[in-house]
């Protein structure tokens, strides 16, 4: 276990953006198919679940069974669904991120100050733009987790592939699967390392 | 006389004694002399027949059914935790259905303690769910098994070990509580009128959901009277108006037995004092307490008369308008 | 008057159309610990479920309720009005001969304590999942072991599942063990509030037919304890006089059933391995204990994480092993005695405190089991109460402490209160 690659992911979003579902879908995606990882774990953070309040969720993904049950304190991947997070509170959202870690940000900015760190791999995609383009909504809210999962597949291909992401989206969203898969695809294509 | 049709098929005690059903509640059980619950359970099982399972939570029944290794019950019988009569009954019914036995009666046989108080939650739940149970609350108006402590069913003014000066609160209106669950069939009964009980349970079987019977069961040691007077005390309860015999079927009330005669306002009920003086537990029910009990009896009867009048008026309207449409 | 009809009425009416025995295909699913438990109950073809919601168990009974309502799972489902009624209803259903299942947590388990004891004394093969949560006040809905362990005197068999896969597998094995004529005891399968209940994890679910072969068939004529059967009227639970009755002997029979359950559990595990390929090791499961000086015994996720802890320790050259205690009842007496003969120090890590004595409840049982068996020291480790986080590093530190205690002879009569604020 200690010598195997363990991905520890922390998601940041706001209530209504689908953060907890994103973590669950990453599990389902990574577990799927021939490339499936044996160790998948998604941990929702149960706090004050009000619309608009900050929400966190976590994953552990590994080729071998995950036998750690404590909180993810030092992730090696951070995914920011909330486009304002990196701008407003970078020290919070990047807290504990391991050296050389990856950040996947929902943003239309072309350069980002990641709290002064130069060791990180920063990947950016305008997931909000993708969802607006496709009018991908759940009620009034824009669905952001599907494009972010596509972006994650682009940024961390060792962990999960786009086909697996689409498989998970199809399972979860039934009738709306096609639109969600399209969003993941677009985000995957457009996601770039800054 | 019970309201049911006087046809050749109307049972008599003699004919019932000869019925195909053998005795399902056996002699030699552990009851006190003059026990009303024993008499009632015998007739209840005759009404329901051998394809019946009985669940009896903590109460006198658990003791009188017999000490190991003997049992007075000829159908499957399980003792049960105090609060759990109706819930265990619901489970038994579900288990029987799961095994394909849809026709077996499940009789939940519970005292007033297990119904008015600790078991009311389970009863309410089963009633609200419409579980297919026959629930009989045999009401001896106190926790008799543990030595006569007051229950929610103890009447105003009665002496118990926990109300030595006479109970200060009126008995809960259990029928009103249960009626609030929209049951298809609920009825009162009294151990002194076994045929009335028998026919009500036979009728109950034909209905869906939870069927409820509130049965008055005079208790010689608890109520303080001679065992041989048990049937008489029960009759006095009805004849003085203290206990009203009726059934409510699909929302329609119908008085039964001697209560039928007492519906009209100029009917002669026996004086309440005859009933109260027959039992030691009411020896303090004099003066203001007596007055209050009388008021309570009058109030109950007024409510019954109002309801019957209102139902009759509604029925007349419906008939009229239906006639007009013809 | 409005017709009130219960679910049971509906199912009876639809009797012709409810599928009798649906066959679930094999599938690998990433699901929550709670949904894992629901799937296991569905695979086991439970016949009666009674349920009452309580966090963090609720999603188990909700999932089962959805399947019941849709007809995907042919089951009698009673939505009762309290946990006392939950277990009372299952007592009733089991007395009528049905395979039964439910789930609860914390306060709910305590509220069903009376009928819980009843179920064991009545020798009913009921399976109950307890999603451990802290007992209030103050309110706490996260991982804790006190609720389940406070019922260890009830006569129930008690099993702790350390992974999602183990939740699924343990529930299947439970029905097999409980319904074995040598046993006839109920079993509680325990996992942890939020740590397992709401986290998603991987579960391999088999083809239904393999499960059907593995589990006993519920006899159509009923089990020996099926007393609610008019074809053979029996009275159950009668008053027993102290001298003429058999109360004492009936209680002793519960103890004998626990003793007989040990080999039955071992057989069930062996057969499970043969059928499904998953390894569990019986009442306990040792990990890298071969050349260890000290072992860390634990229940639940603490035991699974202990394996990661042992790997870190071994990488640093520390001779530590871990032992997952799967069953607290029947207690693995022989296995603990064996450990006491092989190792100097037994650390026992759990999410509970045995008030008024020393350390945790399981630690106390270990101490009493190994009495007189060599010089092994038991060091109780109280950790993670009410879901307080227990990190890998903290666990490694505890392992080091225990190892040193064995080497230096210190830490006699002390308890490690891991992560407690001063």
């Amino acid at each position: 276990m200690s010598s195997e690659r363990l991905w520890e992911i922390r998601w940041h979003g706001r209530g209504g953006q689908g953060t907890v579902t994103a973590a669950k879908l990453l599990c389902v995606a990574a577990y799927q198919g021939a490339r499936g990882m044996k160790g998948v774990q998604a941990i929702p953070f149960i706090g004050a679940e009000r619309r608009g309040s900050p929400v966190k969720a976590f994953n552990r993904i590994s080729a071998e069974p995950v036998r750690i049950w404590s909180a993810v304190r030092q992730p090696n991947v951070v995914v920011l669904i909330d486009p304002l997070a990196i701008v407003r509170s970078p020290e919070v959202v990047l807290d504990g991120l391991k050296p050389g870690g990856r950040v996947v940000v929902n943003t239309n900015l072309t350069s980002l100050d990641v709290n002064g760190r130069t060791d990180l791999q920063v990947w950016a995609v305008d997931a909000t733009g993708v969802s607006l383009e496709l009018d991908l909504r759940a009620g009034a809210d824009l669905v952001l987790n599907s494009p972010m999962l596509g972006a994650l597949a682009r940024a961390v291909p060792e962990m999960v592939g786009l086909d697996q992401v689409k498989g998970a989206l199809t399972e979860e969203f039934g009738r709306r699967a096609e639109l969600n898969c399209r969003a993941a695809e677009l985000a995957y294509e457009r996601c770039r390392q800054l | 006389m019970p309201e049911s049709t006087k046809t050749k098929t109307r049972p008599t005690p003699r004919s019932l004694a000869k019925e195909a059903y053998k005795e399902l509640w056996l002699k030699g059980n552990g009851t006190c002399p003059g026990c009303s619950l024993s008499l009632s359970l015998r007739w209840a099982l005759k009404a329901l027949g051998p394809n019946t399972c009985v669940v009896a939570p903590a109460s006198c029944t658990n003791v009188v059914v017999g000490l190991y290794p003997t049992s007075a019950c000829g159908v499957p019988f399980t003792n049960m935790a105090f609060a759990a009569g109706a819930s265990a009954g619901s489970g038994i019914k579900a288990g029987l259905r799961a095994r394909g036995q849809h026709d077996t009666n499940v009789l939940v046989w519970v005292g007033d303690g297990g119904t008015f108080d600790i078991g009311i939650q389970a009863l309410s739940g089963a009633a609200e769910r419409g579980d297919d149970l026959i629930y009989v609350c045999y009401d001896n108006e106190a926790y008799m098994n543990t030595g006569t402590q007051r229950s929610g069913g103890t009447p105003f003014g009665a002496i118990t070990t926990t109300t030595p000066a006479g109970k200060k609160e009126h008995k809960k209106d259990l029928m009103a509580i249960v009626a609030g669950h929209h049951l298809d069939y609920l009825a009162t009964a009294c151990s002194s009128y076994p045929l009335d009980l028998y026919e009500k349970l036979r009728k109950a079987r034909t209905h869906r959901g939870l069927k409820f019977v509130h049965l008055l069961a005079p208790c010689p040691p608890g109520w303080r009277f001679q065992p041989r007077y048990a049937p008489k005390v029960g009759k006095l309860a009805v004849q003085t108006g203290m206990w009203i015999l009726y059934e409510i079927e699909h929302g329609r009330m119908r008085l039964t037995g001697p209560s039928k005669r007492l519906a009209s306002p100029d009917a002669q009920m026996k004086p309440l004092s005859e009933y109260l003086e027959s039992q030691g537990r009411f020896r303090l029910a004099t003066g203001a307490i007596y007055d209050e009990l009388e008021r309570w009896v009058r109030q109950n009867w007024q409510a019954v008369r109002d309801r019957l009048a209102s139902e009759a008026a509604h029925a007349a309207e419906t008939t009229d308008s239906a006639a007009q449409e013809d | 008057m409005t017709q009130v009809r219960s679910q049971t009425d509906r199912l009876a009416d639809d009797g012709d159309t409810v599928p009798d025995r649906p066959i679930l295909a094999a599938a690998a699913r990433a699901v929550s610990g709670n949904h894992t438990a629901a799937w296991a109950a569905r695979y086991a073809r439970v016949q009666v479920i009674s349920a009452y919601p309580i966090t963090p168990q609720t999603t188990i009974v909700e999932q089962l309720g959805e399947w019941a309502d849709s007809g995907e799972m042919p089951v009698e489902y009673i939505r009762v009005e309290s946990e006392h009624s939950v277990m009372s209803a299952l007592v009733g259903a089991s007395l009528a001969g049905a395979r039964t299942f439910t789930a609860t947590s914390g306060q709910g388990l305590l509220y069903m304590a009376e009928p819980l004891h009843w179920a064991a004394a009545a020798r009913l093969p009921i399976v109950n999942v307890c999603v451990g949560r802290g007992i209030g006040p103050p309110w706490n809905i996260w991982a804790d072991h006190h609720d389940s362990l406070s019922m260890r005197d009830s006569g129930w068999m008690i099993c702790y599942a350390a992974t999602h896969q183990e939740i699924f597998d343990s529930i299947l094995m439970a029905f097999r063990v409980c319904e074995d004529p040598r046993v006839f005891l109920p079993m509680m399968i325990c996992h942890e509030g939020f740590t397992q209940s709401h986290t998603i994890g991987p579960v391999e679910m088999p083809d239904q037919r393999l499960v059907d072969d593995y589990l006993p068939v519920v006899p159509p004529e009923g089990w020996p304890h099926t007393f609610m059967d008019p074809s053979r009227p029996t009275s159950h639970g009668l008053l027993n006089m102290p001298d003429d009755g058999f109360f004492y002997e009936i209680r002793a029979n519960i103890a004998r059933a626990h003793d007989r359950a040990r080999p039955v559990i071992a057989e069930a595990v062996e057969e499970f391995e043969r059928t499904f390929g998953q390894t569990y090791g019986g009442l306990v499961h040792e990990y890298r204990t071969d050349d260890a000086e000290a072992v860390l015994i634990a229940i639940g996720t603490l035991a699974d994480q202990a394996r990661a802890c042992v790997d870190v320790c071994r990488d640093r050259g520390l001779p530590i092993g871990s032992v997952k205690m799967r069953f607290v009842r029947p207690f693995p007496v022989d296995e603990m005695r064996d450990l006491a003969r092989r190792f100097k120090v037994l650390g026992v890590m759990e999410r509970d405190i045995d008030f008024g004595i020393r350390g945790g409840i399981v630690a106390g049982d270990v101490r009493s089991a190994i009495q007189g068996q060599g010089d092994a020291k038991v060091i109780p480790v109280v950790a993670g109460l009410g879901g307080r986080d227990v990190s890998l590093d903290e666990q490694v530190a505890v392992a080091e402490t225990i190892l040193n205690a064995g080497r230096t002879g210190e830490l006699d009569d002390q308890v490690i209160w891991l992560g407690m604020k001063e």
Side-chain angles (χ1 to χ4, degrees), chain B residues 51 67-68 70-71 74 76-81 84 87-88 91-92 94 96-97 99 121-122 125 128-131 184 208 251, chain C residues 3-4 6 8-9 12 79-82 88-89 93 96 111 114 118 220 227-230 233-237 239-240 246:
Chain B
N51 194 12
L67 302 183
Y68 180 89
T70 60
S71 170
F77 177 103
T78 186
N79 293 275
M80 185 42 56
S87 45
I92 291 170
L96 288 168
R97 279 197 211 271
R99 287 183 52 224
Q121 174 195 296
E128 186 264 336
R129 285 190 300 273
D131 288 346
D184 282 359
R208 309 214 65 146
Chain C
Q3 185 77 39
V4 176
S6 70
T8 48
D9 280 313
R79 289 173 172 89
V80 286
E81 65 292 334
S82 81
S88 309
Y111 194 26
E114 187 203 5
W118 195 289
F227 295 121
M228 293 291 105
D229 183 352
T234 318
S235 296
H236 186 257
L239 189 65
N240 266 249
F246 290 87

Side-chain angles (χ1 to χ4, degrees), chain A residues 146-168:
Chain A
S146 301
M148 288 310 287
L149 282 163
L152 188 56
R154 182 69 187 276
V156 197
E158 314 96 293
M159 182 180 72
V160 70
L162 180 63
D163 53 335
Q164 291 173 297
V165 167
K166 285 160 75 170

Side-chain angles (χ1 to χ4, degrees), chain C residues 387-420:
Chain C
R388 180 157 296 172
D389 202 58
V390 178
S391 72
L392 191 55
D393 288 344
E394 283 173 305
Q395 222 172 356
V396 169
V398 164
E400 285 181 306
T401 307
I402 288 171
L403 183 65
N404 288 334
R407 288 173 172 174
T408 62
E410 285 171 13
L411 264 195
D412 265 316
D413 243 26
Q414 279 196 35
V415 176
I416 299 178
W417 301 90
L418 182 61
M420 185 170 76

Side-chain angles (χ1 to χ4, degrees), chain B residues 48-310:
Chain B
L48 298 177
N51 194 12
T52 300
C53 291
V54 181
V55 50
S59 61
C60 285
T61 307
N62 284 196
V63 179
V64 308
V65 69
L67 302 183
Y68 180 89
T70 60
S71 170
C73 192
V75 298
F77 177 103
T78 186
N79 293 275
M80 185 42 56
F82 202 8
S87 45
S90 298
I92 291 170
K93 191 68 191 181
L96 288 168
R97 279 197 211 271
R99 287 183 52 224
Q101 286 182 251
H102 298 274
D103 295 329
T104 306
N105 300 309
V106 176
L107 172 66
V108 187
W109 183 263
V110 191
D112 58 298
T115 300
F116 282 77
D117 301 342
I118 195 171
I120 199 165
Q121 174 195 296
L123 166 59
S124 181
E128 186 264 336
R129 285 190 300 273
D131 288 346
D132 185 9
L133 303 171
I134 294 171
Y135 189 110
V136 176
C137 170
Y138 71 92
D139 188 358
N140 50 28
E141 300 191 327
Y143 289 86
M144 293 309 187
N145 196 35
T146 45
T148 317
Q149 293 83 26
R150 60 92 96 202
S151 79
T154 305
F156 183 82
I159 297 168
T160 64
T161 57
T162 43
T163 57
K167 188 159 171 266
K168 301 280 187 284
E169 304 80 22
H170 276 292
K171 194 181 174 77
K172 283 188 199 179
D173 192 347
L174 183 65
M175 288 295 279
I177 292 170
V178 176
H181 293 71
H182 316 299
L183 303 186
D184 282 359
Y185 187 84
L186 59 163
T188 61
C190 175
S191 55
S192 303
Y193 299 94
L195 284 184
D196 179 72
L197 170 66
Y198 177 92
E199 283 168 353
K200 281 167 174 165
L201 286 172
R202 298 284 290 179
K203 193 182 283 192
R205 280 176 73 189
T206 66
H207 286 280
R208 309 214 65 146
L210 189 137
K211 282 76 66 174
F212 185 81
V213 175
H214 187 188
L215 167 76
L216 186 69
C219 169
W223 294 14
R224 314 278 172 83
F225 62 82
Q226 294 292 312
R228 67 182 178 276
Y229 293 129
K232 181 171 167 122
V233 168
K235 287 184 183 177
L236 281 172
V238 176
Q239 290 160 350
T240 57
M242 185 82 168
W243 190 260
I244 309 173
L245 290 177
Y246 62 89
E247 63 186 357
I248 301 177
E249 197 170 11
H250 292 296
R252 267 204 71 204
M253 176 184 272
R254 191 161 38 238
L255 295 175
T256 68
S259 296
K260 248 184 98 184
R261 273 187 282 108
L262 304 179
S264 68
D266 42 334
Q268 282 303 316
M269 295 189 195
K270 287 193 178 177
L272 188 58
S273 52
E274 262 190 67
Y275 176 67
L276 299 182
E277 281 163 14
S278 70
Q279 308 149 53
R281 64 173 175 152
F282 281 124
R283 66 179 170 76
L284 296 178
T286 55
I289 296 177
Y290 182 93
D291 290 344
E292 175 56 25
L293 275 170
E294 262 203 323
R295 186 202 65 75
W296 185 77
V297 171
R298 269 201 307 275
Q299 179 185 284
N300 291 341
W301 270 100
Q302 194 51 53
V304 167
R305 288 179 189 121
D306 288 346
R307 178 172 179 151
L308 289 173
S310 147

Side-chain angles (χ1 to χ4, degrees), chain C residues 277-299:
Chain C
Q278 301 280 358
T279 309
Y280 283 105
L283 296 180
V284 305
H285 195 192
E286 295 188 25
Y287 182 69
R288 299 183 83 171
T289 51
D290 282 339
D291 53 343
E293 272 178 42
V295 290
L296 190 56
I297 302 166
I299 52 174

Side-chain angles (χ1 to χ4, degrees), chain C residues 310-387:
Chain C
V310 163
D311 286 341
V312 171
C313 289
R314 291 296 189 160
D315 282 350
R316 297 184 194 173
L318 303 171
I320 304 263
S322 73
V323 177
K324 175 167 64 179
M325 186 181 290
R326 295 189 55 236
F327 281 84
V328 170
R329 285 293 182 276
F331 193 76
V333 175
D334 291 340
E335 289 85 345
M336 291 300 114
R337 287 180 177 167
D338 182 55
L339 291 178
R341 285 188 287 267
R342 288 154 57 198
F343 305 107
K344 296 184 212 166
V345 190
L346 308 177
V348 183
M349 188 181 251
E350 56 195 300
R351 299 181 190 264
D352 64 272
I353 306 170
D354 199 351
F355 304 122
I357 189 162
R358 192 163 61 87
I361 294 168
V362 176
D365 279 355
V366 173
R367 263 200 305 274
S368 76
I370 68 170
Q371 194 189 33
Q373 307 287 319
D375 301 320
K377 222 185 311 253
V378 172
I379 298 180
V381 183
V382 175
L385 300 190

